């Protein structure tokens, strides 16, 4: 049986390590502060933000949620970000995506001070990542590296294949793997013979948003498979096909009206991989843990700079 890479366990370790750092900051002035900007009422975003605020509470990080109306203009939202940039008690600013269509998202993300950009999305911080300079790293990619290291999965000299080239997952995780001395291939929707490229991977990262797309045919025997995908599947027949009509899975589907699926086929990965992240419970829990880590690090850097 392959090893299950348990994201919840690693998340708990990371949070336990952050607690004394938060306490030390609080004891010598104030706790780290995170501002979350949530525009409108996107249901998934509401859940993500709630989980982020809960994680702050667990750790003793001060948090504040700003909830501008769905109809807010780019200019007004820019003014909100500027205010947060200037606040002494706020170390991290997170603008929850997606933003409504009338908002110029790129201008908003550019407006966040790079020192407070705990998502690691600002071009200054992306540049720091490319150059291997210190700076906040995008949370999900950073969590993947943390998971691999804590499970002592060798990276240096190994062949890594990343499927997906988004700015928030695919590209940054590929760069982080490169900095760890993997030989990295980035694939996308125009990559020919994707299964053959993926079969070359010692470490395969799937970040596509295509439920169960990565079947056993993509996986080299013994590879480490990291499944970033999280898609809610609401088609009962699709769940039946993927889980070979498992009564348990269909019952779970019927109870919840949908199931969260990764990009990797949940049964075939078990037959081929040496280690893998389950969905849920693999990569997902690490994203918020790394957001907390970025917030604490930002507070420490700002404190030291004073
Ligand atoms: P995205 O911006 O939609 O990017 C998807 C990428 O996958 C694109 O580069 C696309 O290629 C590629 N792709 C799509 N279909 C493909 C195919 N058939 N063959 C090869 N490549 C294909 O998605 P994202 O924001 O990176 O997110 C990816 C998944 O990760 C989603 O399910 C998302 O929900 C999940 N996610 C999870 C977490 C977490 O905390 N667990 C965090 C972030 C994202 P092109 O560029 O050619 O279109």
């Amino acid at each position: 049986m392959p090893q299950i890479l348990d994201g919840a366990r690693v998340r708990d370790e990371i949070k336990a390590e952050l607690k004394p750092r938060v306490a030390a900051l609080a004891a010598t002035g104030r706790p780290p502060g995170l501002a979350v900007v949530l525009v409108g009422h996107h249901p998934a975003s509401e859940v993500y933000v709630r989980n982020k605020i809960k994680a702050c509470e667990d750790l003793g990080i001060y948090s504040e949620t700003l909830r501008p109306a769905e109809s807010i203009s780019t200019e007004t939202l820019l003014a909100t970000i500027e205010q947060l940039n200037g606040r002494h008690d706020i170390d991290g600013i997170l603008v929850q995506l997606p933003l409504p269509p009338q908002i110029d998202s790129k201008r908003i993300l550019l407006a966040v001070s790079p020192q407070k950009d705990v998502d690691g999305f600002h071009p200054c911080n992306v540049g720091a990542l490319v150059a291997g300079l210190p700076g906040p790293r995008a949370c999900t990619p950073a969590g993947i590296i943390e998971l691999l290291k804590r499970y002592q999965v060798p990276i240096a000299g190994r062949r890594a294949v990343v499927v997906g080239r988004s700015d928030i997952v695919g590209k940054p995780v590929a760069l982080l793997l490169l900095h760890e001395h993997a030989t990295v291939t980035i694939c996308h929707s125009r990559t020919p013979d994707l299964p053959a490229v993926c079969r070359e991977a010692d470490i395969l990262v799937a970040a596509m948003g295509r439920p169960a797309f990565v079947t056993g045919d993509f996986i080299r025997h013994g590879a480490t498979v990291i499944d970033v995908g999280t898609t809610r599947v609401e088609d009962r027949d699709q769940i039946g096909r993927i889980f070979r009509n498992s009564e348990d899975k269909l019952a779970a589907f019927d109870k919840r009206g949908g199931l969260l699926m990764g990009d990797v086929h949940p049964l075939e990965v078990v037959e081929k991989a040496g280690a893998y992240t389950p969905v849920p419970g693999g990569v997902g829990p690490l994203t918020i843990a790394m957001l907390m880590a970025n917030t604490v690090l930002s507070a420490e850097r700002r404190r030291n700079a004073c």
Side-chain angles (χ1 to χ4, degrees):
M1 286 295 282
Q3 181 174 31
I4 294 174
L5 305 174
D6 181 351
R9 200 199 92 187
V10 172
R11 171 202 59 201
D12 292 345
E13 278 176 24
I14 293 169
K15 283 172 78 175
E17 290 161 13
L18 289 174
K19 263 195 172 161
R21 289 167 62 189
V22 174
L25 284 160
T28 55
R30 58 168 184 80
L34 176 69
V36 180
V37 181
L38 174 59
V39 181
H41 298 282
H42 193 271
S45 296
E46 301 259 0
V47 176
Y48 296 146
V49 168
R50 210 177 310 133
N51 290 339
K52 288 167 187 175
I53 300 303
K54 164 93 177 43
C56 286
E57 285 167 4
D58 290 348
L59 289 175
I61 293 175
Y62 169 75
S63 69
E64 199 172 299
T65 310
L66 289 87
R67 308 204 49 150
E70 181 101 36
S71 58
I72 192 170
S73 68
T74 300
E75 297 306 326
T76 313
L77 192 53
L78 282 172
T80 304
I81 303 292
E82 269 317 312
Q83 264 183 352
L84 292 171
N85 283 340
R87 270 182 54 186
H88 172 68
D89 59 333
I90 294 298
D91 301 291
I93 302 170
L94 183 149
V95 181
Q96 186 65 45
L97 300 175
L99 290 168
Q102 81 277 10
I103 302 279
D104 184 341
S105 301
K106 285 205 168 136
R107 274 183 76 196
I108 299 297
L109 294 182
L110 265 176
V112 173
S113 159
Q115 282 74 38
K116 296 189 178 186
D117 165 39
V118 281
D119 259 336
F121 292 163
H122 193 286
C124 285
N125 292 321
V126 175
L129 165 63
V130 174
L133 296 170
R137 306 302 192 219
C139 299
T140 305
I144 291 169
I145 300 296
E146 209 51 53
L147 184 79
L148 291 171
K149 287 188 172 173
R150 288 178 190 244
Y151 273 96
Q152 297 177 349
V153 175
I155 307 176
R158 302 303 158 112
R159 187 80 196 255
V161 174
V162 178
V163 190
R165 56 174 163 179
S166 72
D167 291 339
I168 62 168
V169 188
K171 280 185 216 163
V173 79
L175 282 160
L176 288 172
L177 288 162
L178 185 65
H179 289 318
E180 296 295 330
H181 312 293
T183 301
V184 183
T185 303
I186 306 176
C187 302
H188 46 78
S189 61
R190 302 203 193 177
T191 302
D193 202 355
L194 187 62
V197 181
C198 290
R199 277 196 303 272
E200 291 176 11
D202 301 305
I203 299 168
L204 176 61
V205 180
M208 310 153 76
R210 300 260 181 273
F213 188 95
V214 175
T215 54
D217 187 36
F218 290 59
I219 302 169
R220 175 199 281 195
H221 266 294
T224 297
V225 181
I226 305 295
D227 190 353
V228 187
T230 39
T231 309
R232 187 177 153 85
V233 174
E234 295 184 346
D235 176 346
R236 196 176 190 276
D237 290 343
Q238 192 180 357
I239 292 296
R241 275 194 306 277
I242 292 170
F243 287 103
R244 299 171 192 157
N245 292 319
S246 150
E247 284 180 17
D248 286 353
K249 288 294 173 188
L250 287 170
F253 177 92
D254 290 339
K255 196 170 157 202
R256 292 178 221 148
L259 283 186
L260 203 63
M261 291 291 313
D263 288 343
V264 179
H265 195 289
L267 304 182
E268 296 184 18
V269 70
V270 178
E271 291 157 8
K272 297 288 281 290
Y276 72 99
T277 57
V279 176
V283 173
L286 295 167
T287 301
I288 293 182
M290 297 317 290
L291 173 69
M292 298 298 111
N294 280 348
T295 304
V296 173
L297 197 60
S298 169
E300 289 168 343
R301 285 195 178 127
R302 293 182 69 240
R303 182 75 57 87
N304 290 337
C306 288

